[in-house]
Amino acid sequence: MQAWHVHENGEPSEVMRLEDAEPPTPGDGQVLLRVRAANVNFPDALLCRGQYQIRPPLPFTPGVEICGETEDGRRVIANPALPYGGFAEYAVADSAALLPAPDALDDAEAAALHIGYQTGWFGLHRRAGLEAGEGVVGGPEKAAVARELGCDVVIDRRSQDVVSAVKEATGGRGADVIYDPVGGEAYTQSAKAVAFEGRIVVVGFASGTIPSPGLNHALVKNYSILGLHWGLYNTKNPKLVQHCHERLTELAARGAIKPLVSERVPLAGAAAAVQKVADGLTTGRIAVVMEEAAA
């Protein structure tokens, strides 16, 4: 089979190599999957750089979210067990964590359905109107996509004063819930923009900077800082993962949700795709789609 291997840490475009390899051998409780599509994530870039909280032994294959096929023909989504990631023709995953791929979504969309890292955006919602989409994005292209997708209020953090814009949009109250996968300056803005008794949900640090929150500020403003490491639910509360997947599958079947896949590339384009995500040049998900699945 062909698989992308990382032999040393560095920028994805420099350290990822497409090589011939033997299909991986599953361990106890694992299953071999034929990869149909693999979603590209920012953690893939961090894995290449050696900056992710999980550091698989070298060489390894990145690719943490896939839509694959079992030996008995079931179409599933899975998080591959590193070092045998999804940017390969075959990957390995824990059999207990496999989830059925929604029939309403194609392989690329199913691979992008995983609950986890999305784009480098953080969303704002008011309790009075959770159905109304609001978001803070980076760059005019991302702002345009957010508007096209139906967001009622879109704030471009690169050209606007985020805190002032949030206060204006919420009548001076601030945001009740802030989803922040960016960290760094975005978190600083979050703390200033959050409402009294609001909540900041920390999902990741795409900016590369891990903030040090001022707990005195949280105290005087009565807001909560909540960490969300979704992967832990697979071991701490797997029934919740199953429940969320079932709800997402129902929403997909109704046409209420559909992952935004802005680009589909062949296996040979995986390294360039990971670098593109690392450089913040995407407005949706990029999926690596195998030729057999695309045919």
Side-chain angles (χ1 to χ4, degrees), residues 160-245:
Q160 296 177 260
D161 184 325
V162 172
V163 178
S164 297
V166 170
K167 294 293 182 66
E168 181 180 353
T170 58
R173 174 181 174 82
D176 289 304
V177 181
I178 300 180
Y179 164 95
D180 182 6
V182 180
E185 179 60 24
Y187 179 86
T188 301
Q189 295 169 337
S190 297
K192 293 178 180 178
V194 69
F196 172 76
E197 292 190 333
R199 178 170 49 178
I200 301 174
V201 184
V202 178
V203 183
F205 313 106
S207 67
T209 301
I210 300 176
S212 298
L215 297 184
N216 60 324
H217 189 261
L219 174 64
V220 300
K221 205 171 178 180
N222 283 28
Y223 62 84
S224 302
I225 304 169
L226 172 68
L228 179 58
H229 181 187
W230 179 251
L232 281 178
Y233 285 96
N234 284 319
T235 55
K236 300 292 187 181
N237 191 354
K239 289 184 178 179
L240 182 60
V241 177
Q242 182 66 41
H243 171 73
C244 289
H245 181 70

Side-chain angles (χ1 to χ4, degrees), residues 25-64:
T25 301
D28 292 339
Q30 295 183 327
V31 62
L32 181 68
L33 297 174
R34 182 173 71 86
V35 178
R36 297 179 63 90
N39 183 49
V40 180
N41 286 274
F42 190 73
D44 293 317
L46 294 180
L47 282 166
C48 290
R49 293 168 176 167
Q51 297 175 345
Y52 197 51
Q53 55 259 43
I54 299 172
R55 296 191 178 185
L58 298 169
F60 68 88
T61 298
V64 296

Side-chain angles (χ1 to χ4, degrees), residues 143-160:
V145 171
R147 293 189 185 95
E148 290 171 3
L149 292 175
C151 284
D152 297 290
V153 178
V154 179
I155 303 165
D156 186 348
R157 62 185 173 88
R158 293 182 179 174
S159 62
Q160 296 177 260

Side-chain angles (χ1 to χ4, degrees), residues 51-76:
Q51 297 175 345
Y52 197 51
Q53 55 259 43
I54 299 172
R55 296 191 178 185
L58 298 169
F60 68 88
T61 298
V64 296
E65 296 177 345
I66 68 168
C67 174
E69 185 177 322
T70 62
E71 290 184 305
D72 58 3
R74 288 179 295 132
R75 186 169 162 264
V76 298

Side-chain angles (χ1 to χ4, degrees), residues 6-121:
V6 174
H7 293 269
E8 59 185 1
N9 294 128
E11 285 302 299
S13 61
E14 298 174 359
V15 300
M16 288 179 62
R17 305 177 195 169
L18 186 58
E19 300 174 335
D20 291 325
E22 292 295 321
T25 301
D28 292 339
Q30 295 183 327
V31 62
L32 181 68
L33 297 174
R34 182 173 71 86
V35 178
R36 297 179 63 90
N39 183 49
V40 180
N41 286 274
F42 190 73
D44 293 317
L46 294 180
L47 282 166
C48 290
R49 293 168 176 167
Q51 297 175 345
Y52 197 51
Q53 55 259 43
I54 299 172
R55 296 191 178 185
L58 298 169
F60 68 88
T61 298
V64 296
E65 296 177 345
I66 68 168
C67 174
E69 185 177 322
T70 62
E71 290 184 305
D72 58 3
R74 288 179 295 132
R75 186 169 162 264
V76 298
I77 64 173
N79 297 112
L82 300 176
Y84 304 114
F87 299 144
E89 293 180 292
Y90 288 90
V92 165
D94 294 333
S95 56
L98 299 182
L99 296 168
D103 293 335
L105 304 178
D106 65 23
D107 295 332
E109 293 164 344
L113 183 68
H114 288 267
I115 306 169
Y117 289 89
Q118 303 297 313
T119 59
W121 305 357

